[in-house]
C-alpha cells in the first residue's frame, strides 16, 4: 500500500516485467496454476469477491457481501473464504 490503497502487482520470478494488475483491492489470492486472482472489491452492487483472469483481464463477480481471506483449494477448483455477517440484536 505505498500510496495508501491496496495494490496487486505481478512479475516474473526473477523480478523483471513488474506490472500492476489491481488497485484498491483487498484480501487477494492467486490460483495454483497462476491463471486467476481472487480479490475483494466494490462495484455498483457493493462489496464482494471477484475473479480476475490474469491473461485476458476479464473480471467476474463471485460473491456479494463482506467476504475476505479468500484462498484457492490445492486443485484450483474451489475458492474458500470468510463471510462476515451483520450482528443481530
Amino acid at each position: 500500500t505505498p500510496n495508501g490503497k491496496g495494490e496487486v502487482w505481478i512479475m516474473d520470478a526473477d523480478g523483471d516485467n513488474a506490472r500492476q494488475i489491481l488497485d484498491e483491492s483487498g484480501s487477494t489470492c492467486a490460483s495454483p496454476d497462476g491463471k486467476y486472482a481472487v480479490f475483494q472489491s466494490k462495484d455498483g452492487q457493493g462489496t464482494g469477491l471477484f475473479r480476475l483472469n490474469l491473461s485476458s483481464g476479464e473480471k467476474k463477480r463471485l460473491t456479494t457481501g463482506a467476504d475476505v481471506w479468500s484462498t484457492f483449494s490445492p486443485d484450483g477448483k474451489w475458492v474458500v473464504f470468510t463471510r462476515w455477517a451483520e450482528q443481530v440484536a
Side-chain angles (χ1 to χ4, degrees):
T1 59
N3 64 2
K5 58 184 180 178
E7 298 175 349
V8 177
W9 291 69
I10 191 168
M11 68 180 74
D12 296 340
D14 63 4
D16 289 339
N17 301 312
R19 65 182 171 92
Q20 183 179 357
I21 58 170
L22 293 169
D23 64 350
E24 297 191 43
S25 65
S27 187
T28 305
C29 67
S31 64
D33 62 9
K35 293 181 180 180
Y36 300 100
V38 169
F39 61 99
Q40 182 193 55
S41 191
K42 291 185 219 178
D43 67 6
Q45 297 177 12
T47 302
L49 293 178
F50 295 79
R51 184 186 72 189
L52 174 67
N53 182 314
L54 295 174
S55 30
S56 72
E58 177 187 5
K59 292 180 186 176
K60 178 181 180 179
R61 178 181 275 279
L62 300 177
T63 70
T64 301
D67 303 325
V68 294
W69 301 319
S70 58
T71 190
F72 279 87
S73 62
D75 63 6
K77 294 182 179 182
W78 297 89
V79 175
V80 180
F81 60 91
T82 299
R83 171 161 288 171
W84 292 98
E86 292 183 34
Q87 187 175 10
V88 179

